[in-house]
């Protein structure tokens, strides 16, 4: 396939994504049947981060896309940092929705990958970005900083921690292997166990970020939003369109 055809294909997907991201995703899946993985990677390389974010945000673990598997760790990091600018109102204004959404999106992006090596590379790449680390931390804020009363003393939901420092709020009796706790994929502890197993330094960074915050988790998210918006504007040269992005998290006011 010539370079010109790859460029035309990328432009076609972008134009569809601007109007209907789900149709763009379907079109990419059809095209994938006629191209090699290397050619598809070339197509993805020609797409801007907004297009990639729009398409990938319409997928989850129950409805995966080959695009998510072919993207580089750097591209996945960038869509993680970009995606909150496109959150729906119910996510922007509801803390529980926010926790669930970030958990589900991260679970999808990590577990869809074909090898543990790429999963680890993605986690490390995301964590290297300040905004990405905040995103990675969000699904675990409640578990680490504010365990529910229902969890305390419950043998079915043992807390665990990989560092026996005697002071940590969060998990004790740590087991990195998910199966050792019979954790289901829809349990945030399962994702933390996977991160601990594949990228222990990333798990440590997540916990350190949350432990070092003396304020409530609302302030942690506000800090995350500030970092995210600054980087998203810088990477994508976004100006007036997101000037009012501070209103995204009105539930914090």
């Amino acid at each position: 396939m010539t370079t010109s055809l790859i460029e035309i294909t990328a432009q076609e997907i972008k134009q569809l994504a601007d109007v209907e991201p789900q149709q763009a995703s379907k079109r990419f899946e059809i095209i994938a049947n006629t191209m090699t993985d290397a050619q598809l990677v070339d197509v993805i390389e020609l797409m801007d981060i907004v297009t990639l974010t729009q398409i990938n945000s319409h997928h989850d673990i129950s409805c995966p896309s080959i695009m998510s598997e072919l993207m580089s760790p750097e591209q996945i990091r960038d869509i993680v940092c970009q995606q909150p600018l496109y959150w729906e109102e119910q996510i922007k204004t509801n803390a529980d929705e926010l926790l669930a959404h970030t958990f589900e999106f991260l679970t999808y992006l990590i577990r869809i990958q074909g090898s543990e090596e790429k999963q680890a590379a993605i986690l490390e790449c995301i964590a290297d970005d300040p905004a990405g680390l905040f995103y990675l931390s969000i699904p675990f804020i409640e578990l680490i900083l504010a365990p529910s009363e229902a969890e305390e003393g419950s043998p079915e939901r043992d807390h665990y921690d990989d560092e026996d420092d005697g002071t940590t709020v969060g998990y004790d009796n740590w087991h990195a292997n998910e199966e050792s706790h019979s954790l289901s994929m829809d349990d945030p502890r399962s994702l933390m166990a996977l991160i601990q197993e594949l990228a222990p330094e990333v798990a440590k960074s997540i916990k350190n970020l949350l432990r070092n915050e003396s304020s409530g988790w609302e302030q942690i998210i506000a800090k995350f939003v500030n970092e995210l918006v600054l980087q998203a504007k810088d990477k994508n040269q976004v100006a007036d369109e997101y000037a009012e992005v501070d209103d995204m998290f009105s539930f914090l006011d």
Side-chain angles (χ1 to χ4, degrees), residues 28-222:
F28 187 86
E29 298 290 335
I30 292 173
I31 292 172
N33 293 324
T34 66
M35 300 172 70
T36 66
D37 285 355
Q39 291 168 335
L40 292 171
V41 168
D42 288 341
V43 171
I44 293 172
E45 287 289 341
L46 293 177
M47 296 183 190
D48 59 85
I49 194 61
V50 171
T51 300
L52 293 177
T53 304
Q54 289 171 324
I55 293 175
N56 282 276
S57 294
H58 285 81
H59 288 275
D60 56 32
I61 201 70
S62 66
C63 181
S65 168
I66 190 174
M67 180 182 287
S68 303
E69 298 179 64
L70 295 174
M71 287 192 305
S72 69
E74 291 76 17
Q75 289 168 326
I76 292 175
R77 172 204 62 203
D78 288 345
I79 69 170
V80 164
C81 294
Q82 174 82 18
Q83 194 213 29
L85 297 176
Y86 301 92
W87 280 341
E88 297 176 358
E89 191 64 24
Q90 65 182 14
I91 296 172
K92 295 187 292 185
T93 58
N94 186 293
D96 290 334
E97 290 280 352
L98 176 67
L99 295 175
H101 180 79
T102 52
F103 165 67
E104 290 169 3
F105 194 53
L106 287 170
T107 295
Y108 166 64
L109 290 175
I110 296 167
R111 292 190 183 275
I112 193 63
Q113 307 305 325
S115 71
E116 291 185 350
E117 289 76 14
K118 187 175 181 183
Q119 290 177 328
I122 290 169
L123 288 166
E124 291 165 359
C125 189
I126 294 174
D128 281 341
D129 187 301
L133 182 58
F134 282 119
Y135 197 113
L136 276 175
S137 302
I138 285 179
F140 313 113
I141 291 174
E142 187 174 12
L143 287 173
I144 293 177
L145 296 184
S148 68
E149 291 183 2
E151 288 181 319
E152 294 179 358
S154 172
E156 289 79 17
R157 296 181 65 87
D158 292 336
H159 299 314
Y160 47 88
D161 196 338
D162 57 320
E163 298 178 21
D164 186 17
D165 55 14
T167 61
T168 302
V169 176
Y171 302 140
D172 53 34
N173 301 321
W174 173 266
H175 291 281
N177 191 309
E178 296 172 80
E179 294 182 0
S180 67
H181 270 281
S182 299
L183 301 176
S184 63
M185 196 179 297
D186 61 356
D187 188 332
R189 296 176 304 159
S190 177
L191 180 58
M192 176 55 81
L194 181 65
I195 295 172
Q196 175 68 34
E197 183 177 2
L198 297 178
E201 288 301 312
V202 173
K204 185 175 181 179
S205 294
I206 290 171
K207 293 177 183 179
N208 286 341
L209 173 66
L210 297 177
R211 292 170 183 163
N212 290 335
E213 295 292 333
S214 58
S215 54
W217 73 275
E218 292 90 348
Q219 286 70 35
I220 298 175
I221 293 180

Side-chain angles (χ1 to χ4, degrees), residues 85 229 232-234 236-247:
L85 297 176
V229 173
K233 289 181 177 180
D234 180 60
N236 302 300
Q237 297 182 345
V238 178
D240 293 340
E241 183 178 358
Y242 300 120
E244 301 301 323
V245 76
D246 288 340
D247 293 334

